[in-house]
Amino acid sequence: KKDGELYEYEFEHAKEPARKIVALWSPTGEGKKGETLVDLGGLTLAKAERMPLKEGEVPALPIAVRDGKVSVPYDESPIYLWLEPK
C-alpha cells in the first residue's frame, strides 16, 4: 500500500480461518508516520496492540471502529489488529 510507505499483511488462524491478525507498519527507515483506513471485512476488532519492545504487559491501542472500518495511526513499529467473527 501507499508506494512502499506502508506494509499491511493479513494472517489467518490455522484452525479457525475466520479469525485474523492484520499487521501494519512503515518499512521506510526514515521515521515516517501516517494514518490508514482498514476495512474489517465484516469482522469485529477484538484488540489492537503495538509490537512490544520489552517484557511485560502490552498496552492496548485505543482504536475506534466506525462503519466497519478503523483508522489506524502507523509508524515503523508494527501494529497488530486482532479480528474475529461477529
Side-chain angles (χ1 to χ4, degrees):
K1 277 187 155 181
K2 296 194 180 186
D3 301 322
E5 289 187 19
L6 174 66
Y7 282 175
E8 180 178 331
Y9 288 90
E10 183 178 287
F11 303 90
E12 51 181 60
H13 191 280
K15 294 182 181 176
E16 299 176 53
R19 295 175 58 203
K20 302 180 187 308
I21 293 178
V22 175
L24 305 129
W25 73 95
S26 172
T28 62
E30 299 171 4
K32 291 197 179 206
K33 295 181 180 187
E35 196 159 327
T36 189
L37 196 60
V38 177
D39 188 335
L40 300 180
L43 300 173
T44 298
L45 178 65
K47 66 179 176 176
E49 295 177 347
R50 187 170 299 280
M51 179 181 215
L53 300 177
K54 60 183 179 180
E55 286 189 46
E57 193 167 326
V58 179
L61 288 175
I63 295 180
V65 177
R66 186 172 186 180
D67 298 325
K69 298 177 183 174
V70 291
S71 182
V72 181
Y74 67 86
D75 58 22
E76 293 174 348
S77 179
I79 292 181
Y80 301 99
L81 306 175
W82 274 259
L83 308 179
E84 298 194 353
K86 290 184 177 181

